[in-house]
Amino acid sequence: MKILSIYGSLPSTVSLIVDNKIVSAVNEERFTRKKNDEVFPRQAIDYCLSNSNITGKDLDAVAIASFICPFDDNLVQKSAWTVNDYVKEQELRWKPFLVDKTDKKLKSLLEIFPEKILLDQYPNNYWKSMFKDPDRLVKHRSGRLKVISDYLKIDQKKVKAIDHHKAHAYYSYYTSNMIGKNVLSFTADGLGDNLNATISTFDENGSWKRHYATDECGIARIYRYITLLLGMKPNEHEFKVMGLAPYGKEKYAHEAFKVFEQTLDVEDTKFVWKIKPTDSYYWFKERLEGIRFDSIAWGLQNWVENLLIKWTKNSIRKYKISNIIYSGGVAMNIKAMGKLAELKEVKNLFVGGSASDESLAIGSGICLSEDLKLKKKEIWRATDFSRIETLYLGPKAQNIDENKIVNNLDKNKYSYEGHPTAKKIARFLSEGKIIGRCADRMEFGQRALGNRSILADPTNIMIKEKINSAIKNRDFWMPFAPIILDTYAPKYLKNPKKMESPHMTIGFQTTELGYKKMIAACHPADKSARPQILEKKHNKKLYEIIEEFSLIKDCGAVLNTSFNLHGYPIVNTPKDAFYVFENSDLDILVLDNFIVKKNEY
């Protein structure tokens, strides 16, 4: 059975299931080169089909994530908004409606941002015919199904919408190491299908049951607009607020914490408001004015952690299940996930890689696979579906593209050699070189996992400054992250329950040795790390590079950050990689078949 699944918003994403196995998954941004692009994912669809040598007519079904999908957001291209645009939205849309109450009806984004309306996107006739229709939001629910069926040239009856939070839960379950066990699933996000938090369970056969659902969990929405209040971009820079939080000090941040603490709470397993803010921006702006930025970040982060700890502990007690999974945008908060991992009530915790909305393109397809099997009166067993152990699901670097690069090199600036062995690459790393690696299949999601990564020596504290000046331009407080060999993880991380974290989804405290060996890849304020714990079976070439590096530097880890220029998506092709290499101060470019060096190196 072949099932294509699509998430059509920010960022639009596609995956393909063939015979109960995810074989491809990719964001459209990797092709358009526009970060978080939410356009109709034609190129991502084409890749997933061509990679399995099939066409639309070969598909048994198509899943589309969420029953409700925002029409206006896609039309005004929120992915391209600036911080000022988000402030303007607050001033002209939310404030008159929620705070001043001068507007009886919420203004449309199309009314506020007419200059941003992009009608010239696929399919033009669809957007042009709908954008002035007062019923466009309702019509879009079925209209988007027809757009997909028309593009694939299939019967629209094959296209099925899937519940947003169910798809979240299925994604983290089928990426986890708990398939076949009783599992407690939590989802939490900004909003999806009019809900923002759920609790459900999977039994030993993988049967899913929802126990709680609400639209009263304001965690993600408040976090989003405190991000804006701190001058950073919502829906993109929340991780920067999380990274800033450890620099705050409790004695100075208590006032900020109290502002958040008086709002949302947990009673039993339900989210309830003590005081419900009129909105998620101005209410907090009034109360937080004059408090330092790092104290606000500390107060916000600790409030979130406390809420999730209480929700998780109460739920484990109620449902008597201590194997837990988390998904949705809130699950991207690795610091909070790390706090949950430490709870004595938690036996095991797993968070799927990039578990925010792009993962719906995978989870929705699994949901539809189950639905189709049950419709045939067949038994669905979770163990029949292949666990998603790695996220190397994108396009493979093509040899023809690599050959074009080396054949057209300016010999005055660059040189190259073949056979990029693990030993050669490890030697460059040990010499303090910053390496961009574009090899094998691209990883799915927001985290670079070694195949589209910038790699460096984590023992060298000065390498952080070099990377930032060379390419990343990251905020001064933001840490990098390590890739750690599984054999070294017990020495470097405080992880007594041996929880798996292959996709950089859980924050761990480091041991004294770990911090020393990975000082450039840890958070300097609290000595924590956001590791990719690597097993050899998941990426043999990358593993061997780090093995060779450990023989030279006695360090079983490397510093890892995403291979991209600031503000752009992670690179996809060797051509993308060479463009970044050429337009930055990276020292070395590693491809599948070549090592490219700048002549001064």
Side-chain angles (χ1 to χ4, degrees):
M1 184 171 288
K2 301 175 182 64
I3 297 175
L4 192 75
S5 49
I6 300 169
Y7 174 65
S9 193
L10 190 152
S12 53
T13 308
V14 182
S15 80
L16 179 67
I17 295 170
V18 176
D19 297 333
N20 285 344
K21 183 178 181 179
I22 301 288
V23 295
S24 298
V26 67
N27 304 112
E28 183 70 6
E29 65 164 23
R30 303 300 169 83
F31 302 99
T32 65
R33 309 308 303 156
K34 296 177 182 178
K35 193 172 180 67
N36 286 327
D37 205 349
E38 64 269 78
V39 296
F40 182 78
R42 287 187 290 175
Q43 295 180 82
I45 290 172
D46 292 349
Y47 160 70
C48 287
L49 295 178
S50 64
N51 190 51
S52 292
N53 198 29
I54 62 173
T55 64
K57 72 177 187 303
D58 298 308
L59 296 171
D60 295 280
V62 177
I64 181 165
S66 303
F67 297 121
I68 302 170
C69 186
F71 180 92
D72 291 6
D73 287 29
N74 283 27
L75 204 53
V76 299
Q77 297 284 287
K78 289 192 84 169
S79 62
W81 279 21
T82 64
V83 168
N84 288 338
D85 292 326
Y86 277 102
V87 172
K88 181 179 177 180
E89 180 192 25
Q90 291 295 322
E91 291 174 346
L92 300 184
R93 191 181 194 216
W94 294 109
K95 189 172 185 285
F97 182 68
L98 294 175
V99 182
D100 301 335
K101 299 191 183 300
T102 52
D103 287 356
K104 304 301 180 187
K105 183 181 178 183
L106 187 65
K107 285 191 181 78
S108 161
L109 291 174
L110 307 187
E111 182 182 348
I112 298 169
F113 295 101
E115 75 284 359
K116 291 187 179 296
I117 296 173
L118 183 63
L119 295 174
D120 187 21
Q121 57 176 301
Y122 180 88
N124 289 6
N125 60 328
Y126 177 76
W127 299 101
K128 288 176 180 176
S129 65
M130 290 265 283
F131 89 104
K132 291 185 178 180
D133 192 324
D135 297 323
R136 62 185 177 276
L137 304 184
V138 174
K139 290 181 178 178
H140 186 50
R141 295 188 189 185
S142 58
R144 66 200 175 115
L145 306 186
K146 186 176 187 305
V147 169
I148 291 168
S149 64
D150 286 350
Y151 184 77
L152 294 168
K153 297 180 174 58
I154 60 173
D155 190 328
Q156 189 176 328
K157 292 178 182 177
K158 283 188 172 184
V159 185
K160 304 292 183 183
I162 301 295
D163 178 273
H164 184 104
H165 282 266
K166 182 179 181 182
H168 269 319
Y170 271 56
Y171 172 71
S172 268
Y173 177 70
Y174 283 95
T175 53
S176 80
N177 56 356
M178 296 180 239
I179 297 171
K181 298 179 180 179
N182 289 313
V183 176
L184 187 59
S185 169
F186 299 87
T187 70
D189 61 12
L191 197 68
D193 287 341
N194 293 324
L195 298 174
N196 52 27
T198 70
I199 301 171
S200 55
T201 54
F202 291 88
D203 68 15
E204 292 174 343
N205 296 314
S207 295
W208 172 84
K209 182 179 181 181
R210 180 175 289 168
H211 302 275
Y212 169 69
T214 184
D215 64 354
E216 296 293 336
C217 175
I219 291 174
R221 190 170 185 85
I222 290 171
Y223 213 106
R224 176 189 301 165
Y225 291 113
I226 298 302
T227 300
L228 178 61
L229 198 60
L230 291 172
M232 291 175 272
K233 187 176 176 180
N235 296 314
E236 191 173 321
H237 291 159
E238 284 81 355
F239 75 101
K240 293 187 179 184
V241 179
M242 180 183 65
L244 177 62
Y247 289 96
K249 299 291 186 290
E250 183 174 3
K251 64 179 179 179
Y252 303 122
H254 187 64
E255 186 180 352
F257 177 75
K258 285 177 65 177
V259 171
F260 297 109
E261 191 183 36
Q262 66 182 297
T263 61
L264 192 65
D265 197 7
V266 173
E267 290 182 1
D268 186 30
T269 59
K270 298 179 179 179
F271 286 100
V272 296
W273 293 101
K274 292 187 278 189
I275 298 174
K276 189 169 186 177
T278 51
D279 72 309
S280 301
Y281 183 77
Y282 290 99
W283 191 90
F284 290 97
K285 183 178 181 181
E286 178 184 338
R287 288 159 178 79
L288 294 170
E289 190 169 11
I291 301 176
R292 265 177 57 123
F293 59 95
D294 52 347
S295 292
I296 292 173
W298 189 98
L300 174 65
Q301 179 64 27
N302 279 267
W303 169 71
V304 169
E305 290 171 6
N306 289 351
L307 279 177
L308 293 180
I309 286 170
K310 191 173 182 181
W311 192 39
T312 302
K313 289 171 71 171
N314 290 356
S315 299
I316 290 173
R317 190 179 305 118
K318 180 173 183 175
Y319 297 104
K320 296 178 173 55
I321 300 173
S322 56
N323 291 313
I324 69 171
I325 56 175
Y326 258 83
S327 50
V330 173
M332 295 292 284
N333 192 308
I334 60 100
K335 302 289 289 186
M337 296 301 105
K339 294 291 185 182
L340 298 180
E342 293 173 358
L343 294 176
K344 68 179 190 300
E345 291 87 353
V346 173
K347 180 180 179 182
N348 194 8
L349 164 69
F350 194 90
V351 182
S354 218
S356 52
D357 279 356
E358 63 264 31
S359 68
L360 295 171
I362 295 177
S364 60
I366 303 173
C367 290
L368 186 54
S369 298
E370 179 185 46
D371 291 346
L372 294 176
K373 193 161 189 178
L374 294 177
K375 189 175 180 181
K376 295 178 182 177
K377 309 296 183 186
E378 297 176 0
I379 297 173
W380 173 265
R381 295 184 183 87
T383 51
D384 292 339
F385 197 95
S386 296
R387 179 190 173 193
I388 310 163
E389 290 195 65
T390 79
L391 296 180
Y392 303 110
L393 298 167
K396 188 181 188 306
Q398 296 296 311
N399 291 348
I400 188 171
D401 294 333
E402 294 188 6
N403 290 330
K404 284 181 182 177
I405 288 168
V406 298
N407 290 336
N408 292 300
L409 281 177
D410 182 343
K411 302 300 190 296
N412 294 317
K413 295 180 179 179
Y414 308 104
S415 61
Y416 74 91
E417 58 184 276
H419 308 294
T421 64
K423 278 188 177 182
K424 288 180 184 177
I425 298 167
R427 178 170 54 81
F428 287 130
L429 289 170
S430 70
E431 293 170 353
K433 302 297 187 285
I434 306 172
I435 293 175
R437 183 172 187 263
C438 176
D440 296 319
R441 293 189 71 178
M442 179 175 62
E443 46 272 77
F444 160 80
Q446 297 180 31
R447 309 292 193 214
L449 301 172
N451 284 3
R452 301 294 185 278
S453 284
I454 293 169
L455 305 175
D457 177 1
T459 68
N460 180 1
I461 187 63
M462 299 307 295
I463 206 79
K464 292 199 301 184
E465 184 178 338
K466 186 178 176 185
I467 293 171
N468 276 328
S469 63
I471 181 170
K472 296 298 287 188
N473 298 313
R474 287 166 71 93
D475 297 298
F476 69 90
W477 67 83
M478 290 303 297
F480 292 110
I483 304 173
I484 308 174
L485 299 183
D486 54 352
T487 53
Y488 281 81
K491 305 173 190 176
Y492 291 177
L493 302 173
K494 294 180 180 179
N495 182 19
K497 301 174 191 175
K498 297 180 173 60
M499 291 180 181
E500 292 184 16
S501 186
H503 312 310
M504 302 169 67
T505 54
I506 301 175
F508 293 96
Q509 291 302 125
T510 57
T511 63
E512 185 177 348
L513 176 65
Y515 186 67
K516 179 182 177 182
K517 294 293 186 182
M518 306 185 300
I519 190 168
C522 296
H523 200 299
D526 63 4
K527 299 184 178 180
S528 64
R530 171 173 51 96
Q532 174 190 353
I533 302 175
L534 183 64
E535 296 182 43
K536 194 166 190 173
K537 64 180 179 179
H538 293 153
N539 193 327
K540 185 172 180 286
K541 289 181 183 178
L542 179 62
Y543 198 96
E544 289 174 348
I545 291 170
I546 305 174
E547 273 188 321
E548 291 292 340
F549 179 74
S550 72
L551 296 177
I552 303 170
K553 297 284 288 193
D554 188 29
C555 175
V558 295
L559 181 151
N560 170 38
T561 188
S562 57
F563 194 172
N564 63 290
L565 291 171
H566 183 71
Y568 288 85
I570 295 172
V571 301
N572 178 0
T573 65
K575 181 181 178 181
D576 299 335
F578 185 75
Y579 179 84
V580 175
F581 178 63
E582 191 176 32
N583 288 278
S584 70
D585 288 330
L586 281 175
D587 298 327
I588 307 286
L589 174 61
V590 172
L591 304 172
D592 269 314
N593 300 293
F594 301 101
I595 295 174
V596 184
K597 297 179 285 185
K598 290 173 179 169
N599 283 345
E600 57 265 38
Y601 302 113

